[in-house]
Amino acid sequence: MTNQTNPPSLYAPREPIFPRRVTGFFRRFKWAILIATLGIYYVTPWIRWDRGPSLPDQAVLVDLASRRFYFLWIEIWPHEFYFVAGLLIMAGLGLFLFTSALGRVWCGYTCPQTVWTDLFILVERWIEGDRNARVRLHKAGWGLHKWRLRLTKWAIWLVIAVATGGAWVFYFTDAPTLARDLVRLTAHPAAYITIAILTATTFIFGGFLREQVCIYMCPWPRIQAAMMDADTITVAYRDWRGEPRGKSNTRRSQATAVQIEADQQATGANEARYPGTLYREAAKPVASATQPDSGPGDCIDCMACVNVCPMGIDIRNGQQMECITCALCIDACDDVMDKIGKPRGLIDYMALSDETAERAGEPSKPLWRHILRPRTILYTLIWSLIGIGLVYALFVRSDIELTVSPVRNPTYVTLSDGAVRNIYDVRLRNKSGQARDFRLRLTSDDVLRIGLEGTDDLTIKVPADTTVLQRVYVTARPQDRAATSATTPLRLWVEDTTAQTRASKATNFNGKAN
Amino acid sequence: MSNRKKDDVTGTETTGHSWDGIEELNTPLPRWWLWTLYLCIIWGIIYTIAYPAWPMVSGATKGVLGWSTRANVAAEITAHEAKNAKLVTALLGTDMEALPANADLNRYAIARGGSVFRANCSQCHGSGAAGAKGYPNLLDDDWLWGGQMADIEYTVRHGIRNEQDGDARYSQMPAFGEILEKEEIAAVVEHVVSLSSTDYDADIAAAGAAVFAGNCSACHGETGLGDRAQGAPNLADAIWLYGGDRQTLTNTVVNARFGIMPAWGPRLTEADVRAVSAYVHSLGGGE
């Protein structure tokens, strides 16, 4: 007990991260994606689509109250939810495909958390200045200057956050009407509550939690590790080329010592904040063919890659769960390599197997061989099959539909003349924009008669975009075979008398032997 | 506590747990996580004050917001009734014979009648309205007292052979066991069988025809087609309320039958009576 050291705290405060501004290909690419994704998000609910007088004219609309989902010319009814399920499966498989081929591109470029955080950091830089200014402001006391900058920043964040939640609700009801109601304060409370919740989450997640969401809240980083392998293209550091690191030409004798020092510079003594994996230790070169152990590496330990990182990690520590592969460190490092006259690509998109090959002096695999692997081909195949299936289902479905549920309580009814009657609850769907007359009939190998409840003829008017429940009677006379046999197959048809389209469902007729 | 170990690679303290040489690092939790926990605890306390929560000796604490599922259900029912008020008014004002022509109102009446039926009528007539021995099947086209909308409504409202309602439909078949001889009963049963079947003894049936004409035809009609005014069943069709075999028929003739249905007028609301009548009328036998 005399030896007891102070136990470390069980809880660690968040260490603030001040990503430095960076320019380069990937930064420009990310700006383009940010504009594209936010543009789609904000503009989509406002696109109009003419569907005729009795249907909404919003191109993309999730009409929860009427249980309809409109997407351009496609209208999904609740019983067709398999389309949505299919799309979700495709989205999942697509994510698997991209992750196994290109690593965490979803996280780095298109995840809303990344996009909005990027936007918030941009605002932060506009208001408070670049990394150094922000670090100074962070350390400064709460004076007038700091309050002014902070409040300005928070105000702009809040505007973005409100706009984020505000755009979301427009997907669920007619956008222009809702916009008017929102301003007049007459919209449904659900709209205001949704906006309030999304405003709060956007403001907190984009402004303050940022990388904490990715590291501690999101399950994806942990799942994605299982999708990646040594052939996956990802953001990596050419260890063999960079080590041993040194400032200018001063050579560090021991690579391990350099590493520890780098960690300390990043985080303070003895506290490696986000320790890397064992990769760099395990794959440490004994002697490299292209880079003799005697000379200093290309890495000048300028910390540019660490300073620009929105996750606050050091990519030189190897693959890490925290890395969202946003590739900003590539831009930062390429910039430095250009300045010191070394070739680009010390940090680069590459596969881990390339790193090993290059270290051994072998040529690395061409890009297509990394991407075309059994695993990615299989994902693509399954993804395409589901896609083709959905498109097929979309094109074969007709404007009219029926479902038949035979009433089996009782299994059949005996009429006074000894005839046997079966009852069917038939739901007739008219998915067109006009009221239609539907005519019902049946086909069967045996003699059966059809009748409808409440009408003498076999035609029913079904209003536009609705389902009508119709009680249908099928009767076999006492002398008919169907009356005495156990079951007789039959097919119920519905025909649109205007459009000449029809649909059918097979069902069974129960006789007395049943 | 002196055996604290540090991981060589990361410098992080370990928990001392080791599996196959893999050691568990004692990485600290983020502090905001701790705040979230405290916030949840505070939220939990506020929640249990605001809403019914703590179990006491006789029931749980009520909560200061006065929230209760029972009140919510009552409010929902009230809201629902307010929503349907127009339809109910229309249903009360409509001529029942004209109801099927009014599609929207008819749909409402049938849906409402369906739930009234399942709650009040299905105990005897079955959830599918197929009836049982002694309880008529409401799906077929055979009616004891009439299958017009008005007939059904009257039956529902006043019932059959009950003592509570003076307007209840009433008739009584005599127990012929005390009136007829055994042979006469056997003969009349054979005659009744002959009305709807081809499998009978022609001689006995012929003798029974005379007995039938003398004792039964007043109610059941000369040809056995029944009389709806008296609730006398049609004996010539394929449907039997109690059974059409000789033994059951003998039992019926000897002891008679006296099926009772309660009057629903006093038990149900006017709208419910109309709705359940419309529902029964819509099941396939309505005339």
Side-chain angles (χ1 to χ4, degrees), chain A residues 156-176:
Chain A
I156 297 175
W157 280 357
L158 205 59
V159 170
I160 297 171
V162 172
T164 305
W168 180 257
V169 293
F170 290 135
Y171 282 87
F172 296 89
T173 183
D174 185 56

Side-chain angles (χ1 to χ4, degrees), chain B residues 138-167:
Chain B
L138 305 175
L139 302 168
D140 59 31
D141 57 346
D142 185 37
W143 296 91
L144 293 169
W145 298 91
Q148 308 262 346
M149 188 72 92
D151 299 329
I152 296 170
E153 192 189 345
Y154 188 93
T155 305
V156 170
R157 196 182 300 282
H158 300 292
I160 296 166
R161 298 187 191 101
N162 60 61
E163 291 172 359
Q164 289 79 37
D165 192 324
D167 290 329

